[in-house]
Amino acid sequence: MKMLKKHFLTTSFILGSALLFAGNVAAEDKAKNETDSVKMPIEAFAIEPAMRSVSVSRDGKKLAYMRATSKRGDYVVEIRPTSNLSAKPVTLGAAKMELTGYTWLNNKKLMMYFRQNIVDGARNYWVSKNAIVNADGKGKWDVPFAKDESARFSIVSTFPQDPDVILLNYDIDEDGRPDIIRYDIDTGRTRTILRGNDTVNGGFVVDSDGEVRAGTGYDATISAINLYARSKGSEEWQLVHQNKPESREVFDFLYFNKDNPNEIFVSATLGQNTAGIYRYNIETKEYSERLFGLKSYDADSIVISNKMADRGRLLGYSYTGKHPKVYWTDENEAALYEAIEANFPKKFVSLNSRSEDDNMIVIRTSGPNDPGTYYLLENKTKLSLIGDTAPLIDNDKLAKVRWIKYKARDGMVIPAYVTIPQGKGPFPTIVHPHGGPWSRDVNIYDEWSQLLANNGYLVVQPQFRGSTGFGLELWKAGDAEWGKAMQDDLDDAALYLVEKGLADKDRLAMFGWSFGGYASLVAATRDPQIYKCSAAGASVGDLNRWLSVINRGRYLRIFQSPTVRGIDPVKEVSKVNIPLYVVHGDIDRQVTIEHSRDFIEELKKHTNNFKYTEIEGADHFSNTLFYEHKMQFYGELVDWFDNYCFSGKSIAATK
């Protein structure tokens, strides 16, 4: 393969187009900020990405991307010929619904995804629609299953033998069990190729020929999720594994082995602490040796070729340490990545999209000092800038991020990200626990951490016990330790950084969202108290209320409910001993706003040294926090730490 040339265009037409809406804002910011100070305006972080989801068609002739038309997003899809990126684009969008994404179906058509928030009296909910459109913008849009106003379907796979066919997961006979439908994207004709039944009705996996060969079903008699597979050409399902809620092991189907169609790759623990990759033979019912696995991290999946010519061929194994990584088994793929990465030292590099012949590749770089930048690699020799995602961010003013490990007070080793502001420490420090808690952070560019670091605060994100991705031991160690050992892990992160001279022991605080918000409520009640204040967003404030949600289904009642035990914030309100900022979206459907409202009503009985904000029109997850929400929330968050947490000023005195 030819060596890549470091050929960067100093600008590009796409970049200019993407920033049309932000030009005046950027000019005003420069006029206001003539100094060399590190601090950037809140708006630089609150504004939605200028561009997203850049990809090329399979033949490499067209480049598509989502472009923001306002500060809050309001995205459209633009499509340009790769032979002339300055050509007038085809623009696709909708007037009333929000565009959330798109997928190339073949070289001529895309699936576009839309949603809309509906307010109907006291009810507030989201509706979604999908449409198949022509990449040239001509002709009518096709809405699959248009007569079904609440149609819910997803793409299972494109069809290797016919580029005009896709496989959809959709309950076509309305019996409550999803089916697999063969859908012609030119004619709209459908054919059911697999009926969902009481045994197999979800989690479908197709092989490289487009044959449905694996799936899952719920066994109510033992409250287990059964995983089934079948031999090539067979209609008989075989039970491979049962995921029982009490076992808490890891077992997932990944993809079929192209070299042996009766073998399926699985991600599983199989008696070990971390998940590894294995092959399971459907005919012999035997597992291979552990093909890939690590001591400290779970394996994520396999990486396979999506090219029609060798679809399903194994390329490598993926896992997530500090950042997502791939252990390549394919020499050519490894050489391609190494050559591309050499052009972007100290950056996290991903190949977002590529043509069948690899002559057009969309590259996305990111990192602590790079919110996201897109490039087009042509013929493996010419590298051109497409555009930046965050035009108002000055990358030179962003903070560095370290990956550390520290010992909690009981000796358990806890990984953590540390975002270190520019300047000299020790710094005022904010402990920032993630949500979930059965999840983990992946800090390549973390908007909240960088916002706080840009305002002078060191941010630590502990992967406390109860986090996933680091093996069963760390995950299960969080069981029934809400507000207890899990909380100790958070405090111990702050104390570790104090010991290392990075954190100021007299200026410690906590801020989190969802479960992180729960932890921030509990932090305000700790004794002895190491924090000066806390900020809790979208918090689980009432464990009984949260358990009532979990306990609605038997599987979750067995799987997760026993682990949600510990300190109940609403019952500990009288112990709050530091200033507290509580914020919640008023249409939060994941953790309803009653959690915060009830907590605040109890808190009023004991203190008025708090601030409470309800964000109008904000739901729970980040993709429902829009520009106006973030401008309000980010402004209040920074103001809270600047003017009430570490200044000694009482919020009560200002009411």
Side-chain angles (χ1 to χ4, degrees):
M1 185 182 67
K2 295 180 180 179
M3 289 295 292
L4 297 174
K5 298 179 181 178
K6 293 190 178 181
H7 181 89
F8 294 80
L9 296 186
T10 56
T11 184
S12 77
F13 188 85
I14 295 179
L15 176 62
S17 173
L19 301 188
L20 285 177
F21 76 93
N24 292 335
V25 177
E28 290 172 6
D29 289 339
K30 289 182 179 179
K32 292 177 183 177
N33 190 11
E34 295 290 339
T35 68
D36 292 330
S37 65
V38 171
K39 191 172 181 179
M40 289 180 274
I42 293 292
E43 186 167 48
F45 296 93
I47 204 165
E48 292 300 309
M51 65 186 337
R52 292 168 39 195
S53 304
V54 184
S55 64
V56 291
S57 56
R58 287 189 175 273
D59 61 9
K61 294 181 179 180
K62 299 181 184 70
L63 179 80
Y65 53 90
M66 292 172 62
R67 177 177 70 84
T69 63
S70 73
K71 297 174 184 178
R72 76 186 311 273
D74 296 319
Y75 290 97
V76 295
V77 167
E78 290 187 344
I79 302 170
R80 300 175 188 265
T82 53
S83 60
N84 182 11
L85 294 181
S86 63
K88 183 179 179 180
V90 172
T91 302
L92 304 169
K96 295 183 179 180
M97 299 192 78
E98 176 196 357
L99 174 67
T100 59
Y102 73 92
T103 301
W104 283 103
L105 299 179
N106 59 22
N107 293 321
K108 297 179 180 180
K109 292 181 180 287
L110 304 90
M111 180 81 80
M112 297 181 63
Y113 309 104
F114 301 92
R115 69 176 181 179
Q116 185 177 11
N117 186 246
I118 303 295
V119 179
D120 181 11
R123 294 180 65 220
N124 194 302
Y125 57 95
W126 295 91
V127 296
S128 60
K129 290 289 183 182
N130 302 340
I132 297 173
V133 303
N134 293 318
D136 61 8
K138 300 176 182 178
K140 294 182 179 180
W141 290 23
D142 174 27
V143 178
F145 317 111
K147 293 181 180 180
D148 181 358
E149 293 185 359
S150 59
R152 293 187 178 183
F153 63 88
S154 59
I155 299 175
V156 176
S157 176
T158 53
F159 202 65
Q161 291 84 358
D162 189 341
D164 295 331
V165 170
I166 55 176
L167 300 181
L168 299 179
N169 185 340
Y170 174 66
D171 182 10
I172 199 165
D173 53 6
E174 299 181 349
D175 66 351
R177 295 171 296 210
D179 311 297
I180 298 296
I181 309 301
R182 192 178 189 272
Y183 192 94
D184 189 306
I185 62 177
D186 275 338
T187 65
R189 293 194 182 100
T190 63
R191 180 161 63 88
T192 303
I193 63 172
L194 187 145
R195 292 278 186 190
N197 52 63
D198 290 335
T199 301
V200 183
N201 47 51
F204 298 110
V205 182
V206 301
D207 63 17
S208 57
D209 296 323
E211 183 182 345
V212 183
R213 301 275 312 288
T216 63
Y218 181 64
D219 186 342
T221 61
I222 57 172
S223 296
I225 297 175
N226 292 341
L227 290 91
Y228 297 91
R230 55 188 182 181
S231 299
K232 187 72 174 175
S234 172
E235 295 185 358
E236 182 180 350
W237 292 105
Q238 298 182 32
L239 178 63
V240 175
H241 187 81
Q242 292 183 312
N243 276 334
K244 298 180 180 179
E246 61 272 16
S247 70
R248 295 275 298 282
E249 61 186 328
V250 174
F251 192 99
D252 288 305
F253 286 147
L254 300 176
Y255 200 79
F256 285 91
N257 183 9
K258 187 174 179 63
D259 296 329
N260 183 343
N262 287 321
E263 289 183 338
I264 186 168
F265 289 101
V266 299
S267 169
T269 41
L270 295 187
Q272 299 201 38
N273 179 46
T274 57
I277 306 297
Y278 301 82
R279 287 191 306 266
Y280 175 80
N281 190 299
I282 300 168
E283 295 183 319
T284 66
K285 298 179 173 54
E286 294 179 344
Y287 292 96
S288 70
E289 74 283 0
R290 192 172 171 103
L291 304 173
F292 176 80
L294 298 167
K295 180 179 179 180
S296 301
Y297 307 110
D298 290 327
D300 292 333
S301 189
I302 60 173
V303 181
I304 59 173
S305 172
N306 285 320
K307 296 178 181 180
M308 291 300 181
D310 62 349
R311 185 172 176 173
R313 180 169 60 85
L314 180 67
L315 302 177
Y317 305 102
S318 63
Y319 66 98
T320 305
K322 177 183 179 182
H323 295 151
K325 291 187 176 182
V326 176
Y327 175 83
W328 298 107
T329 58
D330 184 87
E331 293 182 0
N332 291 332
E333 198 73 9
L336 175 63
Y337 265 83
E338 289 172 5
I340 291 174
E341 288 174 334
N343 285 261
F344 304 100
K346 299 182 180 180
K347 299 279 189 179
F348 176 76
V349 178
S350 57
L351 306 193
N352 269 35
S353 172
R354 50 210 284 193
S355 61
E356 283 284 323
D357 59 9
D358 277 345
N359 286 333
M360 292 289 176
I361 300 177
V362 174
I363 299 167
R364 188 182 190 275
T365 65
S366 55
N369 64 341
D370 181 2
T373 307
Y374 290 99
Y375 299 88
L376 182 64
L377 177 62
E378 303 176 57
N379 300 316
K380 300 189 181 74
T381 57
K382 183 182 178 182
L383 193 61
S384 305
L385 174 67
I386 297 174
D388 296 321
T389 60
L392 300 188
I393 292 288
D394 184 342
N395 291 358
D396 292 335
K397 296 179 179 180
L398 294 173
K400 296 180 180 179
V401 178
R402 291 185 187 174
W403 176 245
I404 67 167
K405 293 183 179 180
Y406 64 94
K407 283 188 177 180
R409 61 193 65 184
D410 65 354
M412 178 162 280
V413 176
I414 309 294
Y417 294 98
V418 183
T419 303
I420 306 172
Q422 296 188 26
K424 187 176 181 181
F427 301 99
T429 295
I430 298 169
V431 179
H432 182 36
H434 60 70
W438 289 357
S439 64
R440 60 155 292 173
D441 290 304
V442 182
N443 187 343
I444 298 172
Y445 173 82
D446 188 276
E447 185 173 283
W448 289 1
S449 297
Q450 288 291 346
L451 166 70
L452 293 169
N454 187 249
N455 283 272
Y457 301 104
L458 182 146
V459 181
V460 56
Q461 296 168 270
Q463 308 308 293
F464 48 88
R465 67 194 71 200
S467 300
T468 54
F470 303 95
L472 296 177
E473 182 181 353
L474 185 71
W475 180 27
K476 292 184 177 182
D479 292 0
E481 292 291 343
W482 284 46
K484 296 157 50 174
M486 295 169 79
Q487 203 76 23
D488 292 341
D489 291 348
L490 304 177
D491 293 0
D492 291 345
L495 297 174
Y496 173 82
L497 294 174
V498 168
E499 180 185 333
K500 294 299 179 182
L502 283 171
D504 184 342
K505 67 180 180 63
D506 296 320
R507 294 186 294 170
L508 303 176
M510 188 177 290
F511 156 58
W513 191 269
S514 194
F515 174 84
Y518 161 86
S520 298
L521 293 180
V522 174
T525 70
R526 297 281 273 182
D527 184 20
Q529 182 59 266
I530 67 171
Y531 302 110
K532 291 298 182 184
C533 78
S534 189
S539 312
V540 174
D542 185 336
L543 283 193
N544 286 332
R545 186 186 295 273
W546 184 241
L547 282 168
S548 70
V549 174
I550 296 174
N551 288 334
R552 288 175 188 168
R554 188 179 179 190
Y555 190 89
L556 280 182
R557 188 161 63 247
I558 301 171
F559 185 50
Q560 192 172 28
S561 181
T563 74
V564 184
R565 297 287 186 273
I567 303 299
D568 192 346
V570 75
K571 295 178 181 178
E572 303 289 317
V573 169
S574 63
K575 297 180 181 179
V576 171
N577 52 33
I578 54 175
L580 182 60
Y581 169 48
V582 178
V583 58
H584 215 123
D586 70 350
I587 64 168
D588 193 327
R589 297 188 306 158
Q590 181 74 8
V591 180
T592 60
I593 197 169
E594 283 74 23
H595 280 269
S596 287
R597 286 176 177 172
D598 291 351
F599 182 88
I600 290 298
E601 286 305 308
E602 287 298 314
L603 186 61
K604 287 177 180 177
K605 299 175 184 178
H606 304 281
T607 181
N608 62 352
N609 198 17
F610 67 88
K611 177 180 176 66
Y612 177 57
T613 294
E614 293 187 1
I615 306 176
E616 184 179 356
D619 204 335
H620 189 79
F621 297 103
S622 59
N623 65 353
T624 63
L625 293 179
F626 298 109
Y627 170 76
E628 61 271 21
H629 302 144
K630 292 193 286 186
M631 283 296 292
Q632 177 187 0
F633 170 44
Y634 290 1
E636 289 187 6
L637 184 67
V638 172
D639 178 68
W640 175 254
F641 290 123
D642 282 354
N643 297 317
Y644 297 102
C645 185
F646 300 124
S647 68
K649 182 179 178 181
S650 172
I651 186 70
T654 65
K655 291 184 176 180

